[in-house]
Structures are given as structure tokens and as C-alpha cells.
Amino acid sequence: MAVEVTWWGHATVTVADSGVRVLTDPLFTRRLAHLRRRRGALPPPAAARADAVLVSHLHADHLHPASLARLSPGTRVVVPRGAVAAVPGLRRVAAARGLLVTEVRPGDTVAVRAAREGHGAAEVTVRAVHAAHDGRRLPYGPHRVPALGYVVHGAAVTYFAGDTGLFDTMAEEVGACDVALLPVGGWGPFLGHGHLDARRAAEAAARLAPAGAVPVHYGTYWPIGLDAVRPHEFHSPGDEFARLAGRLAPGVAVHRLAHGESVRLAAAR
């Protein structure tokens, strides 16, 4: 058995495991406020096919109602507890599209079954874990609507970190995993508190010790008019993560994907 990971750009990833498709933080737009998509074509309509969608936190580049509106009716959308009250656009889209919204906090689990014909009773379990990130969508603060990561348990164990900084209990909370989807950058010249840059992501890989790691959350969106400001923060995080992980976590195979590219990974445990 294997898990297939497809990176669509930014934090948007499809994890296909045991006949179940899980989509993370869908962002299907060329422009978001002051950000524009500078690399990679927009994901095709097929990218919106999912049995469940995992939303890590409330920032607009992770919880994007217009992108959720592309989901099929009846799609399960897993969000941090409090998100429905905090984001009116989420409520409106869920009602209009018939999305099934499930709110979770760290430690909660959700069973996800394949909704498509031909997959029988295929199922994975999604477990929410803590993320060290200020995911507020004003006026709601991070203590009321915490940022999350998710661990998908199927034939393989895949950790989607969302947005997070390093925290002491990361390896303990995530547990043994086969694949880690780790943010290695951001969408601006300076990376704020509560994020992993390439070095911290390599340290996270060393702590988690997955068989494979895929760098995400870099090289897709950038503020309009700032192309010439610290451009290495846009272009280099993926390569820098691979270089540093080779030194700090030599047992972890890094798969640096192009936008829309997939990799199939065998479960190692």
C-alpha cells in the first residue's frame, strides 16, 4: 500500500490513501487581497475532488470560502472548533453548497470514508493536533479558535502541519509518521513568529523522523509590488529545506514537488 501526495501550491495538498482523498487548506485563486499567485497554474477542477477537507486555521490563505465553494455537495470539511462562529463566509458557503462542517480541537478524531463508487468501505482516520501559530481571524483570538495540524491514519500515517512553529511536544503529539507535509516558508519577505522556515522545518523533520517529507507553503503567493524585495524568501525555501534536512535529518527522504506534481510513497511502518 502507498500514499500519494499532490502539491497544488501554498498549503494545498491532496493526500490519497486507502482509496480516500483528503485535501488540505484549499486555495484556488490567482489573487487574495494583496497577494498574487506568481508560480504554478491554478489547480484544475479535479483538485477540488475530496472525501474530506482539512482546514488548519482561520487565516484567509488557509480558510478561503470561495475555494470551499468549489467542493462537491456533501463534502466533509474539518475546521478548528469555533471557526463556524468566527467566519460568516464559512457558514454561508456550507449552507449554499451542503458542506458537512465538523469542528475539532487537539486530540479529536474524525473517520473519513470514500464517497465515490468503487472504493467500498475504504476509510482513514484524521486526528487533530496542536499547532504553535496565531491563527486568529479578528476579532477572535487564538485561544478561542486555535490553529491545528492533522494526522491522517490510513495505510500510511501522514502529518499535515498547517502553519506552526516548533514546539516541545511536536513529536509526542504527532507520533510515528511515514510522511510529513511541512511548511518551509511564507508569502512575504519576512516570516513572522509561529512559522517554520527551512531550518526549523529541517529540525522538525529530525524530531519527527518520517520516512519522507514534502516541503509546502512557499513559492506560490507573493505581495504585489514586492517581487524584488528579498526574492530568495520566495524562490529558495524548498531547496534550502532539502539541503538542511540532508544534514539534520539524513534518514528522511525529501520530495521537493513542483506545483501539481505527485509522489507515491510506501508506508514504512
Side-chain angles (χ1 to χ4, degrees), residues 48-233:
R49 292 204 320 266
D51 299 300
V53 171
L54 310 180
V55 174
S56 62
H57 63 287
L58 304 193
H59 286 166
D61 57 323
H62 293 260
L63 174 49
H64 188 241
S67 294
L68 296 177
R70 292 180 53 179
L71 302 174
S72 298
T75 301
R76 174 74 58 189
V77 180
V78 182
V79 299
R81 187 172 297 277
V84 173
V87 186
L90 172 61
R91 296 198 301 274
R92 290 193 294 269
V93 167
R97 295 293 297 166
L99 305 179
L100 306 177
V101 179
T102 299
E103 296 190 324
V104 296
R105 57 167 58 99
D108 289 348
T109 61
V110 178
V112 179
R113 286 195 169 195
R116 300 176 307 285
E117 294 182 2
H119 290 284
E123 182 176 291
V124 300
T125 299
V126 175
R127 176 168 54 90
V129 296
H130 169 251
H133 185 68
D134 180 354
R136 77 180 71 194
R137 196 166 182 132
L138 296 175
Y140 286 74
H143 298 297
R144 185 163 186 174
V145 187
L148 299 174
Y150 295 97
V151 184
V152 180
H153 296 262
V157 179
T158 303
Y159 170 47
F160 169 60
D163 265 2
T164 187
L166 279 172
F167 54 95
D168 290 342
T169 60
M170 176 181 281
E172 177 185 348
E173 290 194 41
V174 173
C177 64
D178 299 297
V179 184
L181 312 177
L182 297 174
V184 300
W187 50 252
F190 300 95
L191 198 60
H193 179 71
H195 293 83
L196 297 178
D197 61 8
R199 175 172 290 279
R200 291 191 290 271
E203 293 176 8
R207 295 184 188 186
L208 295 164
V214 177
V216 301
H217 203 278
Y218 77 100
T220 308
Y221 291 91
W222 202 249
I224 294 170
L226 294 184
D227 289 11
V229 180
R230 294 170 59 85
H232 62 283
E233 297 292 351

Side-chain angles (χ1 to χ4, degrees), residues 27-52:
L27 187 59
F28 303 139
T29 184
R30 293 192 182 278
R31 181 170 176 177
L32 177 65
H34 63 301
L35 305 179
R36 65 183 173 92
R37 191 177 180 110
R38 286 193 54 204
R39 182 182 287 167
L42 280 178
R49 292 204 320 266
D51 299 300

